[in-house]
Amino acid sequence: MLEITNTLQIDEDEIELSPIRAQGAGGQNVNKVSSALHLRFDIRASSLPPDCKQRLLNSRDSRISKDGVLVLKAQQHRSQDKNRADALERLASIIRRACQSQKPRRPTRPSRSAKARRTDAKTQRGRIKSLRGRVKPGD
């Protein structure tokens, strides 16, 4: 079981991990060892709460396909075990963020004194700019 929060866990059968060869420099190790991992998580078929699923599917994350499958690639570390732990932790953090409900925004209005300060600052600025003009010989 992958623990997301104290109350939410995901069965590891819902997560598909497949080893692949890592990219980049590394010599013979890169060519021989499949230490990187592809993690695939089907959001629609998961046991997540419906509101959490909907938030995940509505998010504009490029790692989520049109079919609702989240694909993560872990290749930071040289060992497959560390990459596995990294991928699972990244999955947990993505789901954690999606499951947090956002506080509704309460629209606010500026106070009367704030409006007064703003208009006073504007008139002061206008006075400064008016003094920048050409000086007339009679003034």
Side-chain angles (χ1 to χ4, degrees), residues 2-49:
L2 176 64
E3 189 167 319
I4 308 298
T5 62
N6 294 339
T7 58
L8 181 63
Q9 288 99 15
I10 294 176
D11 193 13
E12 298 220 3
D13 294 341
E14 298 178 22
I15 302 167
E16 180 188 325
L17 292 165
S18 54
I20 56 170
R21 288 194 180 146
Q23 294 175 322
Q28 291 179 348
N29 193 52
V30 170
N31 299 330
K32 292 193 294 188
V33 182
S34 298
S35 60
L37 283 172
H38 256 164
L39 180 143
R40 297 174 63 81
F41 178 67
D42 191 356
I43 298 167
R44 290 193 175 106
S46 69
S47 61
L48 290 173

Side-chain angles (χ1 to χ4, degrees), residues 58-109:
N58 290 343
S59 68
R60 294 179 170 229
D61 196 335
S62 61
R63 298 171 291 193
I64 299 175
S65 69
K66 291 177 184 171
D67 303 330
V69 177
L70 175 70
V71 179
L72 294 175
K73 184 176 183 181
Q75 62 176 9
Q76 288 289 115
H77 307 283
R78 283 183 64 132
S79 76
Q80 193 174 14
D81 292 336
K82 286 183 181 177
N83 281 330
R84 182 179 189 278
D86 178 43
L88 291 174
E89 182 51 44
R90 283 170 40 203
L91 173 68
S93 72
I94 290 169
I95 295 172
R96 242 180 257 124
R97 263 185 271 130
C99 288
Q100 289 176 344
S101 59
Q102 289 193 339
K103 188 171 73 171
R105 182 190 176 280
R106 276 199 221 119
T108 58
R109 298 170 71 185

Side-chain angles (χ1 to χ4, degrees), residues 110-121:
S111 64
R112 186 178 291 156
S113 62
K115 286 180 182 177
R117 278 195 307 271
R118 181 176 156 270
T119 53
D120 291 345

